[in-house]
């Protein structure tokens, strides 16, 4: 592993940046972008819910284009973490845990809600089971860092990630891709645009990806962590003239992969409470577990986006979205042949959203006002025959948790940007949101209820049935100023307030004390930044510095009941401060060469947090004040070098190398060494291609984690059971692929 300190690493990164003026993968360069001859292509983003050049947006935004995504080999929505500064993504129990600038969700319950909003083609994707999907035929991904409560709404205290599909053109075109790789990886992907009539066209696309497990389960002798996923999407577009654009989109995805199982680190004399210890603790290629393993999901979604030009600078937009997801996960958390902590997650979530926007654009004024409605229904129930089972098995007497949540959200919002002078612009915006949350919850034991799903004993209430209800209201806002220092350099400053809505803890709990209600959390961000395009468009340099005042954090924490028994629940447990720096650079010193670098520095700490966890030495509650927030490494970096050169009048070749580094992370609130990544880690990825110069076809070979870096993605504090589950990252993989375009 890379053992360089954060300070030394930063110095090395800055030296490399200054010497080479490298770029970052976080700034995409696509063939269909508005390229400037002999310079870096312009990137158009919709970070302010309207099309703008990336360099004109006074927000810290990273954009990955479709070509960049394909060359980096990003296969799913959660694979982008290494390509954006201060972005960390992991999963536990099938639940995505996304962190931007140290702000994120560290909860394993499938009913959890994170502070990073996910959008797909302008529609919010709230259900955690819907947020993990295959990446294919993508135009770009936009990552907005910092609170986005004005235009993107609640639950964006950390930021928002927007996945944007490629739209159909008005001519026949498409592509097909097939690949094969290590562990019998097979991939097939394709898309086609079909003109149907004047102004009417459709694009259909899909992907299949299968792979045998990259590890071996010693208990069964079978491979573990298999991959089996497929998805399709269709977009029908009617765009007869510039004042009317109607897009009807729909898709479905199916995942039958294994759960990403851990290796257990024994903490009771090297073993767990049943005396089991891992027979191969240093070999990350083998596991040894006895329970079912699955990470199943079925997702279907549809959206209707209608844009109408009203004249006089006015545009009306309607965005209607629907999403339905079923999840069935089986997790052997203890990772052993004995049954200590085995979980079945199964939920069904259905959501509907409607947004109306009225935008105005004039010489110096751009403004938008809107209304938003959202309705989400989540069901989880302990019935093996119904979608929605949520089962915890321990010692043959499982805890069955039955829960539901109905969340209705309403909002009114507006934002205006005005050019005070030819160089100075001001932005002001606000959003008022009110949420109505209704939930039910019950937890009970069924003795003799084993994997045959046949109850053999009476139900014993552990957490009696309850109906929970509350309303949460909040106002979020944004103030910003931007100034064109020169025609190619823009500086900005902003103050933004965002919030994450209140909720109820209705996950896997064992006492009434854990069924907590949490109030909204709030984050006020102070940010300055610069965006510049220099040296005749050969270098793009963007940087931002920020300070967060973070209050009433919703933290998954340990608390103490009156009888001294510890409980696990969500609480408004802490305040925190977050500060940091991000740099993204893009350079093309000569036409065939692209070089890249980005990095993030982060200092995210609890300011005031006394936990209910008891220190075994002092017998007093543990004080976590001053501890680093979970999944908030002090330093992250990504870099690449790509060189394309002709080898004949018709052929060209290309080479690409990446190096991505993530610093040390703690995975719990206590900053415990055993529940951390240990050291930082660096990964090297390579790709080589041979292609037709007209882009008609391409052959490529690739490799990831070339040097076999062994690294931890996550760890869970289960020392009360005598072990800590350790989740190691993916082993070295390689493969080949062929692409044909028409």
């Amino acid at each position: 592993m890379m053992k360089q300190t954060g300070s030394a690493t930063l110095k090395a990164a800055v030296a490399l940046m200054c010497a080479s003026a490298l770029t970052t993968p976080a700034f995409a360069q696509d063939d269909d972008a508005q390229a400037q001859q002999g310079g870096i292509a312009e990137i158009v983003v919709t970070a302010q819910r309207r099309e703008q050049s990336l360099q004109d947006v006074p927000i810290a935004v990273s954009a990955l284009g479709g070509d960049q995504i394909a060359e980096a080999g990003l296969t799913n929505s959660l694979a982008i973490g290494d390509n954006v500064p201060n972005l960390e993504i992991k999963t536990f129990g099938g639940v995505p845990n996304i962190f931007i600038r140290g702000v994120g969700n560290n909860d394993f319950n499938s009913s959890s809600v994170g502070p990073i909003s996910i959008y797909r083609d302008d529609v919010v994707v709230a259900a955690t089971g819907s947020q993990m999907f295959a990446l294919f035929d993508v135009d770009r991904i936009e990552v907005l860092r910092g609170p986005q409560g004005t235009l993107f709404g609640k639950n964006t205290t950390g930021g928002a990630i927007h996945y944007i599909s490629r739209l159909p053109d008005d001519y026949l075109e498409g592509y097909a891709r097939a690949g094969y790789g290590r562990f019998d990886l097979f991939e097939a992907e394709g898309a086609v645009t079909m003109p149907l009539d004047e102004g009417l066209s459709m694009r259909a696309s899909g992907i299949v990806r299968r792979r045998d497990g990259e590890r071996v389960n010693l208990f069964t002798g079978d491979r573990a962590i298999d991959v089996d996923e497929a998805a399709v999407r269709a977009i029908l577009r009617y765009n007869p003239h510039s004042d009317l654009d109607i897009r009807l989109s729909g898709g479905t995805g199916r995942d039958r992969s294994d759960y990403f199982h851990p290796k257990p680190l024994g903490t009771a004399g090297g073993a767990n409470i049943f005396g089991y210890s891992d027979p191969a603790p240093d070999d990350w290629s083998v596991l040894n577990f006895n329970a079912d393993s699955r990470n199943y999901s079925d997702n279907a979604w549809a959206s209707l986006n209608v844009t109408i030009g009203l004249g006089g600078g006015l545009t009306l937009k309607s965005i209607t979205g629907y999403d339905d997801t079923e999840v069935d996960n089986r997790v052997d958390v203890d990772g052993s042949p004995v049954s200590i902590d085995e979980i079945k997650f199964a939920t069904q979530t259905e959501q509907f959203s409607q947004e109306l926007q009225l935008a105005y654009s004039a010489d110096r004024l751009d403004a938008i006002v809107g209304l938003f409605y959202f309705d989400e229904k989540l069901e989880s129930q302990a019935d093996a025959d119904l979608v929605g089972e949520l089962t915890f098995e321990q010692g043959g007497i499982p805890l069955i948790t039955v829960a539901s949540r109905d969340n209705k959200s309403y909002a009114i919002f507006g934002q205006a940007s005005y050019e005070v002078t030819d160089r100075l612009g001001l932005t002001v915006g606000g959003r008022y949101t009110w949420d109505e949350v209704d939930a039910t919850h019950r937890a009970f034991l069924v003795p003799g209820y084993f994997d045959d799903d046949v109850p053999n004993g009476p139900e014993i209430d552990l957490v009696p049935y309850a109906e929970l209800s509350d309303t949460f209201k909040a106002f979020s806002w944004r103030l910003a100023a931007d100034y064109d220092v020169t025609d190619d350099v823009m500086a900005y400053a902003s103050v933004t307030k965002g919030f994450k809505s209140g909720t109820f803890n209705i996950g896997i709990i064992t006492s009434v004390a854990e069924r907590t209600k949490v109030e909204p959390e709030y984050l006020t961000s102070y940010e300055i930044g610069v965006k510049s395009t220099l040296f005749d468009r050969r270098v793009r340099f963007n940087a931002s510095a920020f300070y967060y005042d973070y209050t009433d954090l919703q933290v998954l924490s340990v608390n103490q009941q009156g009888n001294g028994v510890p409980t696990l629940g969500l609480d408004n447990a802490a305040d925190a401060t977050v500060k940091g720096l991000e740099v993204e650079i893009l350079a093309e010193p000569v036409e065939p060469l692209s070089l890249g670098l980005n990095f993030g520095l982060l200092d995210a700490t609890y300011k005031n947090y006394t936990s209910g966890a008891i220190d075994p030495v002092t017998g007093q509650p543990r004080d976590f004040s001053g501890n680093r927030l979970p999944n908030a490494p002090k330093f992250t970096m990504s870099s690449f070098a790509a060189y394309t050169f002709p080898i004949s009048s018709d052929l060209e070749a290309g080479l690409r190398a990446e190096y991505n580094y993530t610093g040390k992370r703690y995975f719990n609130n206590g900053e415990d060494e055993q529940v951390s990544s240990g050291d930082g880690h660096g990964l090297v990825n390579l790709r080589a291609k041979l292609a037709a110069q007209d882009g008609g076809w391409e052959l490529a070979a690739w490799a990831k984690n070339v040097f076999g870096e062994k690294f931890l993605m996550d760890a869970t504090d289960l020392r009360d059971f005598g072990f800590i589950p350790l989740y190691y990252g993916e082993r070295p993989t390689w493969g080949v692929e062929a692409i044909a375009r028409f």
Side-chain angles (χ1 to χ4, degrees):
M1 290 188 177
M2 184 173 181
K3 300 184 181 297
Q4 202 173 8
T5 65
S7 176
T9 306
L10 174 59
K11 291 178 181 178
V14 173
L16 182 61
M17 175 185 68
C18 297
S20 304
L22 302 180
T23 77
T24 169
F27 293 110
Q29 183 172 214
D30 285 333
D31 294 337
D32 56 359
Q34 300 178 16
Q36 301 293 323
Q37 183 65 32
I40 295 170
E42 183 183 31
I43 309 283
V44 176
V45 298
T46 54
Q48 296 193 113
R49 308 306 291 267
R50 58 189 172 94
E51 292 188 348
Q52 292 177 277
S53 168
L54 175 71
Q55 297 304 93
D56 294 335
V57 180
I59 299 173
V61 184
S62 298
L64 291 82
D67 290 348
Q68 201 84 23
I69 293 166
E71 291 182 1
L74 306 182
T75 59
N76 63 72
S77 58
L78 304 184
I80 65 175
D82 286 341
N83 299 84
V84 178
N86 287 329
L87 172 63
E88 293 294 314
I89 302 178
K90 64 184 183 70
T91 62
F92 177 52
V95 176
N97 295 159
I98 306 173
F99 299 79
I100 297 179
R101 295 175 171 176
V103 179
N105 170 39
N106 209 34
D107 191 356
F108 64 88
N109 286 297
S110 58
S111 59
S112 66
V113 178
I116 312 296
S117 275
I118 304 298
Y119 277 73
R120 178 167 51 195
D121 294 333
D122 288 321
V123 176
V124 65
V125 181
T128 56
S130 302
Q131 293 175 355
M132 298 180 288
F133 49 85
L135 285 184
F136 61 100
D137 201 31
V138 176
D139 181 74
R140 68 185 184 278
I141 302 171
E142 299 177 11
V143 181
L144 287 65
R145 301 188 297 277
Q148 308 296 323
T150 300
L151 294 179
F152 288 86
K154 63 169 185 174
N155 302 339
T156 57
T157 42
I161 304 176
H162 192 183
Y163 299 85
I164 301 164
S165 305
R166 184 167 180 176
L167 293 174
D169 294 308
D170 56 1
Y171 56 89
L172 180 66
E173 62 89 15
Y175 71 91
R177 180 181 72 88
Y180 181 81
R182 192 184 185 195
F183 308 118
D184 283 334
L185 168 69
F186 171 75
E187 295 177 305
E189 176 185 346
V192 60
T193 288
M194 297 170 286
L196 303 176
D197 203 346
E198 185 68 28
L200 180 66
S201 58
M202 184 180 75
R203 187 170 183 86
S205 55
I207 188 171
V208 173
R209 186 170 186 263
R210 295 191 178 113
R211 190 188 70 185
D212 290 343
E214 54 150 332
R215 293 165 205 190
V216 174
N217 182 4
L218 298 177
F219 185 81
T220 63
D222 298 329
R223 302 207 70 86
I225 315 181
D226 294 356
V227 175
D228 183 358
E229 56 187 5
V232 295
R233 177 176 63 240
I235 302 175
L236 183 66
R237 185 182 189 186
Y238 183 57
N239 185 210
H241 49 76
S242 60
D243 287 333
L244 180 62
D245 192 348
I246 302 175
R247 307 170 188 174
L248 177 62
S249 305
T252 183
R254 172 185 178 276
D255 195 339
R256 294 295 181 269
S257 303
D258 287 351
Y259 180 72
F260 204 91
H261 274 289
K263 288 177 70 69
L265 171 66
T267 59
N272 63 30
I273 56 174
F274 286 171
Y276 170 80
S277 59
D278 190 337
D282 297 324
D283 187 352
W284 64 330
S285 69
V286 297
L287 303 170
N288 192 27
F289 61 92
N290 65 327
D292 288 343
S293 168
R294 67 174 62 168
N295 192 24
Y296 291 3
S297 67
D298 292 278
N299 174 232
W301 59 272
S303 64
L304 177 63
N305 190 318
V306 180
T307 304
I308 304 173
L310 302 178
L314 289 172
T315 302
L316 178 66
K317 177 180 284 190
S318 170
I319 304 169
T320 307
Y322 173 82
D323 188 282
D324 182 272
T325 298
E326 298 178 3
V327 173
D328 180 8
N329 289 336
R330 308 290 176 95
V331 185
D332 189 337
V333 179
D334 57 79
S336 75
V338 296
S339 297
I340 301 178
D341 192 351
E342 297 167 4
I343 303 174
K344 298 180 182 179
F345 289 101
T347 59
Q348 181 173 9
T349 310
E350 186 177 23
Q351 72 167 62
F352 172 82
S353 62
Q354 174 63 53
E355 183 167 343
L356 293 174
Q357 303 174 1
L358 181 63
Y360 175 75
S361 182
D363 289 342
R364 291 187 175 273
L365 176 65
D366 287 286
I368 184 173
V369 294
L371 299 171
F372 179 76
Y373 170 75
F374 173 83
D375 185 6
E376 177 199 43
K377 292 180 172 61
L378 178 145
E379 297 287 343
S380 61
Q381 55 190 22
D383 187 333
D385 296 325
L386 297 177
V387 173
E389 178 186 66
L390 193 60
T391 305
F392 174 81
E393 297 183 7
Q394 184 177 344
I397 308 178
L399 165 66
I400 313 299
T401 303
V402 181
S404 70
R405 182 179 65 222
D406 186 357
N407 177 20
K408 288 184 173 63
S409 182
Y410 311 83
I412 181 171
F413 63 91
Q415 180 170 296
S417 298
Y418 182 71
E419 295 181 11
V420 179
T421 70
D422 290 342
R423 293 194 177 275
L424 176 64
L426 299 177
T427 298
V428 58
R431 186 183 192 107
Y432 185 74
T433 302
W434 58 99
D435 277 9
E436 298 173 358
V437 181
D438 298 301
T440 65
H441 183 269
R442 178 191 176 213
F444 54 95
L445 300 174
V446 183
Y449 188 86
F450 293 97
D451 276 341
D452 58 6
D453 292 329
V454 178
N456 298 315
E459 297 177 359
I460 304 171
D461 266 334
L462 193 63
V463 185
Y465 175 84
E467 295 181 355
L468 313 166
S469 181
D470 209 335
T471 299
F472 305 96
K473 303 176 183 179
F475 180 68
S476 50
W477 48 266
R478 173 176 172 80
L479 298 173
D482 58 89
Y483 184 77
D484 292 333
V485 181
T486 70
D487 291 343
D488 299 318
V489 179
M490 185 263 284
Y492 69 90
S494 66
V495 182
T496 310
K497 186 165 188 175
F499 83 103
K500 177 183 175 184
S501 183
T503 189
F504 297 96
N505 186 31
I506 56 173
I508 301 175
I509 60 178
T510 59
S511 68
V512 174
E514 295 172 276
R515 191 164 59 194
T516 52
K517 181 189 81 172
V518 289
E519 300 296 334
E521 67 177 29
Y522 298 92
L523 190 152
T524 304
S525 166
Y526 305 87
E527 183 171 319
I528 58 174
V530 62
K531 297 191 174 184
S532 58
T533 308
L534 309 171
F535 305 115
D536 196 23
R537 302 190 62 85
R538 292 293 182 183
V539 175
R540 176 182 291 151
F541 177 92
N542 293 349
S544 58
F546 54 90
Y547 176 86
Y548 288 174
D549 184 6
Y550 196 6
T551 61
D552 295 326
L553 278 72
Q554 295 178 10
V555 178
L556 187 68
S557 61
V558 177
N559 294 288
Q560 205 70 25
Q561 298 185 60
N563 60 4
V565 178
T567 64
L568 183 68
L570 285 173
D571 281 315
N572 297 105
D575 298 335
T577 58
V578 182
K579 50 193 174 184
L581 171 71
E582 295 157 349
V583 174
E584 302 178 295
I585 309 167
L586 173 71
E588 292 185 357
V590 293
E591 186 173 347
L593 178 65
S594 295
L595 300 170
L597 171 74
N598 68 29
F599 65 84
L601 298 176
L602 189 63
D603 181 7
T605 58
Y606 291 115
K607 183 170 58 176
N608 178 27
Y609 183 11
T610 300
S611 169
I614 301 300
D615 189 310
V617 177
T618 66
Q620 299 298 314
R622 295 184 66 183
D623 186 358
F624 293 155
S625 303
N627 285 0
R628 283 161 58 181
L629 271 61
N631 293 283
K634 290 184 177 181
F635 182 69
T636 56
M637 181 186 74
S638 62
S639 61
F640 80 92
Y643 186 73
T644 303
F645 54 93
I647 58 176
S648 74
S649 59
D650 299 322
L651 298 177
E652 66 180 19
L655 301 172
R656 178 186 174 90
E658 296 179 356
Y659 177 73
N660 303 319
Y661 177 80
T662 301
K664 180 178 181 177
R665 292 160 293 164
Y666 292 97
F667 300 119
N668 69 346
N669 302 318
E671 214 175 67
D672 296 313
E673 288 297 324
Q674 286 185 307
V675 194
S676 77
S677 64
D679 296 313
H681 70 271
L683 303 178
V684 174
N685 305 322
L686 301 174
R687 189 176 192 269
K689 69 176 182 179
L690 176 67
Q693 288 202 30
D694 63 3
W697 59 267
E698 179 179 316
L699 299 175
W702 54 267
K704 294 185 177 182
N705 193 3
V706 173
F707 298 107
E709 181 80 357
K710 181 181 177 182
F711 63 100
L712 280 171
M713 298 176 58
D714 196 10
T716 307
D717 189 357
L718 293 178
R719 285 173 287 186
D720 288 342
F721 296 100
F723 71 97
I724 296 173
L726 303 177
Y727 295 83
Y728 286 94
E730 193 171 70
R731 296 171 60 203
T733 56
W734 53 81
V736 294
E737 64 181 14
I739 306 170
R741 304 180 181 91
F742 59 91

